[in-house]
Amino acid sequence: MRASFSFKLFLVTTAAFVAGYYMIASVSIGGLMPYNFRAADVIRQDCPFHIIPVAMMSGSNQADILFRWSIAETYARLGALVALWTVMVALLIWRHLEKLRHDA
């Protein structure tokens, strides 16, 4: 049984929304921190997988660097997700159009 084009599009979009929610929630920097913490140490401990290296961030203090990194990391993850979703939708449309041309 073949799934319809709109159902496949719905599945891809739903999967993207679920992944987006996870990506936003997984960049959670919080909890108790020592007074003299380093942003790089906190990021390595709380987010072992990250796209943006901490060395790229600049700020007035470690807390500012940590905040700026979490915003940049969230944007980078969501940007990668949007790019992947766009590719998947384009592939679905291309395959659907090829099928319509072949059937006609």
Side-chain angles (χ1 to χ4, degrees):
M1 179 176 189
R2 291 187 172 172
S4 68
F5 171 72
S6 57
F7 183 69
K8 289 178 186 176
L9 189 61
F10 171 75
L11 284 179
V12 168
T13 304
T14 302
F17 274 111
V18 169
Y21 180 77
Y22 172 74
M23 287 180 175
I24 291 172
S26 67
V27 181
S28 63
I29 305 294
L32 297 175
M33 289 182 244
Y35 177 73
N36 56 352
F37 71 92
R38 287 181 11 114
D41 295 335
V42 172
I43 291 168
R44 263 188 242 110
Q45 178 183 354
D46 290 348
C47 287
F49 171 74
H50 50 273
I51 299 172
I52 305 291
V54 184
M56 289 179 59
M57 296 288 108
S58 62
S60 58
N61 57 25
Q62 293 296 309
D64 188 34
I65 292 171
L66 196 59
F67 177 73
R68 289 175 187 249
W69 177 86
S70 66
I71 298 296
E73 181 71 16
T74 302
Y75 283 154
R77 289 180 181 198
L78 290 177
L81 179 66
V82 167
L84 181 63
W85 177 81
T86 303
V87 168
M88 291 302 297
V89 169
L91 282 173
L92 280 174
I93 291 171
W94 178 72
R95 287 184 64 196
H96 183 69
L97 292 176
E98 284 294 317
K99 181 183 170 191
L100 288 178
R101 266 189 245 141
H102 183 67
D103 291 342

